[in-house]
Amino acid sequence: MRSLLFVPADGGKKLDKAMASGADAVIVDLEDSIAPERKAAARELAAAFVKEAATRSSRPRLLVRINGLQTGLADADLDAVVPARPDAIMLPKAEGGAAVIHADAKLAAREAIAGLADGHVKIVAIATETAAALFLAGTYRGASARLAGLTWGAEDLSVELGAEANRDADGRFLDPYRLARVLCLAGASSAEVPAIDTVFVDFRNDAGLRRECEEARRDGFLGKMAIHPAQVAVINEVFTPRPEAIARAQAIVDAFAATPGAGAVGIGGVMYDRPHLTRAMALLARAGRE
Ligand code: COA
Ligand code: MG
């Protein structure tokens, strides 16, 4: 999943716009974009939308962002949306692998009631929204086979830290959020799931979005969340493996294939060893998929 577009569950025609946006995934939001008094209505709208959208033949992945496990709202969210067969839920304010295990059990019970296969609904966790979560980012490994990705958030974290800002005057994240970003990347890598970069809220600033996408790709993120359909094309472009990258990866794979048992090869005066081969193979697999 290169691009994951948020849409408020009570967004009306935005829901269909999101489906047609070209995003690899649509995240129907029950959390921060829904006012407390609208939660119950939003649940029903989300369920009705996902139920219909899930039956479409060529469609993006369908996620529902539920409310956090600490809120007292998550059970009712899951009761409403699991029977609609979303591909995954997004778990906000997750605090480590224990939160994923907790959500896994809640999903398993609802899947059984709804007649869905055990494990049908995957989990993408937002791993850095509380201070405690930062210390638990390394605990996702092995938590659940449902875990399908980790992402991170700076907005809730900055509120919790009592910060005045999370970006500098140039739009770059400040140190606490750069740390959260790295913890997400390392946590995802250790759990062997994709790392997905956080939202860029300045949705009229294409150059800023592109820069953030490129920095994310450089560092190992495989996609980015969006909040506006205009962000989808840039995200898809930057996270689609480029022809030069594919050619370089293919050359590395070919060089190792030509020298069986080699631990390192030289191509054009540069040394490549086993980690480079692993990375090249992962990139080729991704290029084949998207
Ligand atoms: N998904 C689908 N369609 C969207 C969209 C989204 N996330 N955001 C905007 N659109 C649509 C608008 O409805 C509008 O459609 P129209 O041309 O048919 O009227 C079009 O795209 C252009 O929108 P624009 O006028 O530029 O923005 P806006 O002022 O309508 O909306 C936001 C701005 C921020 C309110 C809106 O982008 C949004 O709701 N984003 C998601 C918020 C969210 O889910 N937050 C939680 C995660 S952080
Ligand atoms: Mg939030």
Side-chain angles (χ1 to χ4, degrees):
M1 288 183 285
R2 299 161 301 175
S3 53
L4 302 87
L5 174 61
F6 272 112
V7 58
D10 62 357
K13 69 177 170 51
K14 278 185 193 166
L15 290 159
D16 274 312
K17 276 201 102 95
M19 290 296 283
S21 65
D24 291 337
V26 170
I27 311 166
V28 179
D29 187 30
L30 295 174
E31 198 213 14
D32 288 344
S33 69
I34 304 294
E37 64 276 15
R38 299 271 303 153
K39 296 285 189 195
R43 263 178 214 132
E44 300 314 315
L45 291 167
F49 174 73
V50 171
K51 187 173 182 197
E52 186 278 314
T55 65
R56 299 187 199 176
S57 55
S58 168
R59 61 165 177 83
R61 234 76 74 82
L62 288 163
L63 281 69
V64 177
R65 181 166 73 170
I66 64 169
N67 291 281
L69 295 174
Q70 313 86 337
T71 61
L73 299 168
D75 283 303
D77 291 347
L78 292 170
D79 286 342
V81 302
V82 170
R85 302 173 167 253
D87 297 304
I89 57 151
M90 179 166 274
L91 183 65
K93 301 183 180 67
E95 294 187 333
V100 171
I101 291 168
H102 192 170
D104 177 309
K106 290 179 182 293
L107 285 166
R110 275 125 182 133
E111 283 170 341
I113 293 166
L116 290 179
D118 184 30
H120 178 96
V121 184
K122 302 289 185 273
I123 299 172
V124 175
I126 313 183
T128 68
E129 291 192 304
T130 72
L134 298 181
F135 297 97
L136 297 167
T139 64
Y140 287 93
R141 182 187 195 128
S144 164
R146 291 181 196 273
L147 190 67
L150 281 191
T151 184
W152 69 285
E155 306 304 326
D156 294 271
L157 181 61
S158 62
V159 172
E160 180 150 329
L161 296 179
E164 292 173 1
N166 53 30
R167 291 175 183 268
D168 67 15
D170 193 32
R172 284 198 153 85
F173 277 118
L174 294 163
D175 284 348
Y177 313 96
R178 300 199 74 78
L179 172 66
R181 178 178 176 278
V182 173
L183 289 173
C184 169
L185 192 60
S189 175
S190 79
E192 297 179 36
V193 296
I196 299 158
D197 198 21
T198 194
V199 295
F200 185 72
V201 295
D202 191 1
F203 61 84
R204 306 263 185 248
N205 178 359
D206 275 357
L209 173 67
R210 181 175 291 276
R211 177 178 78 184
E212 205 162 279
C213 288
E214 284 171 349
E215 290 177 356
R217 183 192 66 207
R218 176 198 67 196
D219 291 347
F221 288 91
L222 295 184
K224 187 171 179 70
M225 299 190 291
I227 47 121
H228 192 287
Q231 297 183 317
V232 169
V234 173
I235 295 174
N236 284 350
E237 184 199 320
V238 175
F239 288 98
T240 300
R242 291 149 302 151
E244 325 76 272
I246 295 171
R248 194 164 54 239
Q250 191 63 58
I252 294 168
V253 169
D254 291 348
F256 274 96
T259 42
V265 296
I267 306 170
V270 180
M271 185 278 292
Y272 295 92
D273 58 12
R274 307 301 295 190
H276 295 105
L277 176 62
T278 304
R279 190 173 64 189
M281 285 166 54
L283 186 129
L284 290 177
R286 225 163 53 243
R289 268 209 303 273
E290 270 153 7

